[in-house]
Amino acid sequence: METVVVIVGAGPAGLATSVCLNQHSIPNVILEKEDIYASLWKKRAYDRLKLHLAKEFCQLPFMPHGRDVPTFMPKELFVNYLDAYVARFDINPRYNRTVKSSTFDESNNKWRVEAENTVTGETEVYWSECLVVATGENGDGNIPMVKGIETFPGEIVHSSGYKSGLDFKDKNVLVVGGGNSGMEISFDLCNFEAKTTVLIRTPRHVVTKEVIHLGMSLLKYVPVTMVDTLVTTMANILYGDLSKYGLFRPKQGPFATKLCTGKAPVIDVGTVEKIRDGEIQVINGGIGSINGKTLTFENGLEQDFDAIVFATGFKSSVCNWLEDYEYVMKKDGFPKTPMPKHWKGEKNLYCAGFSRKGIAGAAEDAMSVADDIRSILATIKK
């Protein structure tokens, strides 16, 4: 099949890119390996998830949220928004298409994308002028290799497979990772009477969603350093010194840390209070080894657990199928060009949703990619 643009991935970035291209009447096809769009939100999000960012930072092009939508949306409301977005713009991804390889054919200056139809087992080949990688930052769940992990008799689950603390009532559970998912899952486990421990390796800023909302709003007009000073001061007033509880703060401010490392500040949902009250235990460092139910930590502590939840993030899977990834990506599957031109590669290869700026970043990328493709096609026609 031939088309002008092939988009790989039907998450928010892929959907938005398709809509933006359609606004310019540019033919495009979305290939999605799952049987549904936005599978991360529909299949891999835990039950109590709420969007930590305000609604104005969680909307896609040409369809802002209504006034009746609360500032901070629960997962279900955002999924409803995505459903309405797909229906309104009549987006029709090709589901159950797992892209196996993609290469740039120098002989005709087109991209050749080979995908397996996992329903029929057939191999499909797509040719396009442009290729957009929209598989997102959250590709494959990352579970680190730990010595002896194969001996652990209990349940091991990645945060993408975690649904509710109800499944872990009265169990000793270790949550590995002190980011937003790890802290919120710890809170959820504790609420369902699991004996909860969270393992935190690196320092993280802890703030409220209201404070982060204020900070993100100010960033439109005020330098990052000034916003970071304000946000850090407010966090100090709200929480005081949390280091005695094992919660350490990075030297850089929250937004500077996000820009430099990609690590977002933790939006507290009530976890800090439970840590202060001793309901959630904090261990700093990493896991040294596992021997059956007994985990030995890098600080020498030994403790038994019934289950482990790895909230250790994701790794990009782009380089597994994009053979000519170097036109836009590094080996780690993230853009090689720094922002704000991270979305544009060589040979009409683009990426959307890799800015580490969430839904807002995906929306910005989609508009930039579509505008650039439109300008290229206009030049060719001349």
Side-chain angles (χ1 to χ4, degrees):
M1 175 184 177
E2 290 204 21
T3 187
V4 177
V5 184
V6 167
I7 302 166
V8 182
L15 300 175
T17 301
S18 181
V19 168
C20 291
L21 289 168
N22 289 339
Q23 297 296 310
H24 300 307
S25 300
I26 299 173
N28 62 89
V29 171
I30 303 177
L31 302 179
E32 169 56 49
K33 68 178 181 179
E34 301 285 349
D35 59 357
I36 197 168
Y37 56 86
S39 62
L40 179 66
W41 292 93
K42 293 196 165 203
K43 289 185 174 182
R44 294 192 284 165
Y46 42 90
D47 294 346
R48 77 171 311 276
L49 176 66
K50 290 186 178 180
L51 276 71
H52 295 140
L53 302 182
K55 64 182 181 181
E56 63 262 36
F57 301 107
C58 300
Q59 56 193 20
L60 299 178
F62 310 110
M63 191 171 143
H65 294 292
R67 291 185 178 180
D68 57 333
V69 175
T71 301
F72 299 98
M73 294 180 288
K75 177 190 70 173
E76 291 75 14
L77 202 56
F78 183 68
V79 168
N80 291 343
Y81 168 79
L82 293 176
D83 289 341
Y85 192 78
V86 169
R88 176 175 174 178
F89 294 106
D90 192 26
I91 311 171
N92 295 291
R94 295 193 169 208
Y95 298 114
N96 302 299
R97 264 64 172 199
T98 299
V99 175
K100 294 297 186 179
S101 67
S102 183
T103 56
F104 184 74
D105 191 316
E106 296 282 357
S107 63
N108 60 9
N109 289 322
K110 288 188 176 182
W111 284 92
R112 182 183 186 277
V113 181
E114 187 175 300
E116 178 190 357
N117 183 324
T118 54
V119 173
T120 66
E122 297 175 334
T123 296
E124 302 171 350
V125 176
Y126 298 82
W127 293 89
S128 62
E129 309 284 341
C130 306
L131 176 62
V132 181
V133 179
T135 49
E137 301 162 359
N138 299 333
D140 298 326
N142 177 44
I143 294 182
M145 293 301 298
V146 179
K147 181 181 178 182
I149 193 170
E150 70 281 357
T151 70
F152 187 74
E155 184 174 359
I156 294 177
V157 61
H158 186 266
S159 56
S160 60
Y162 175 90
K163 291 300 180 183
S164 169
L166 182 63
D167 303 324
F168 300 92
K169 184 178 180 181
D170 296 326
K171 292 184 178 181
N172 289 315
V173 184
L174 174 68
V175 180
V176 182
N180 276 297
S181 293
M183 295 292 267
E184 188 159 355
I185 287 172
S186 297
F187 178 77
D188 188 57
L189 285 164
C190 189
N191 282 344
F192 282 100
E193 300 178 22
K195 301 175 182 66
T196 309
T197 300
V198 59
L199 183 65
I200 302 175
R201 177 181 286 274
T202 57
R204 290 290 184 110
H205 287 279
V206 179
V207 293
T208 64
K209 60 186 180 183
E210 292 79 13
V211 169
I212 212 69
H213 182 199
L214 173 63
M216 292 184 71
S217 300
L218 288 174
L219 281 174
K220 300 175 185 177
Y221 316 102
V222 181
V224 171
T225 51
M226 293 181 65
V227 175
D228 274 346
T229 299
L230 175 62
V231 170
T232 303
T233 299
M234 294 179 74
N236 277 332
I237 295 171
L238 288 169
Y239 295 107
D241 182 10
L242 295 176
S243 61
K244 60 185 175 181
Y245 302 104
L247 302 176
F248 298 92
R249 180 182 296 153
K251 292 181 180 179
Q252 283 185 309
F255 290 107
T257 299
K258 172 67 174 172
L259 288 171
C260 294
T261 68
K263 293 181 179 179
V266 171
I267 311 298
D268 180 36
V269 295
T271 314
V272 171
E273 183 178 355
K274 289 188 177 295
I275 290 172
R276 278 175 167 159
D277 292 343
E279 296 180 60
I280 296 176
Q281 179 187 2
V282 174
I283 298 176
N284 295 119
I287 304 172
S289 63
I290 299 175
N291 184 11
K293 294 181 65 174
T294 304
L295 275 67
T296 302
F297 298 94
E298 291 176 346
N299 61 7
L301 177 68
E302 291 186 355
Q303 197 164 323
D304 289 352
F305 292 95
D306 302 309
I308 305 174
V309 179
F310 281 96
T312 42
F314 296 81
K315 52 188 176 183
S316 172
S317 58
V318 174
C319 297
N320 295 340
W321 57 267
L322 183 59
E323 296 180 31
D324 295 320
Y325 68 84
E326 69 276 2
Y327 290 135
V328 72
M329 297 290 194
K330 299 177 293 184
K331 288 184 178 180
D332 64 357
F334 284 88
K336 67 178 185 179
T337 303
M339 289 192 292
K341 291 291 186 178
H342 58 280
W343 49 268
K344 184 175 175 62
E346 304 169 56
K347 308 291 187 181
N348 295 338
L349 178 61
Y350 301 87
C351 63
F354 289 84
S355 66
R356 302 184 191 272
K357 293 170 62 180
I359 302 298
E364 292 171 3
D365 289 351
M367 291 187 287
S368 298
V369 168
D371 288 344
D372 196 72
I373 291 174
R374 177 178 59 87
S375 65
I376 289 174
L377 295 177
T379 302
I380 293 173
K381 289 179 181 179
K382 290 180 180 179

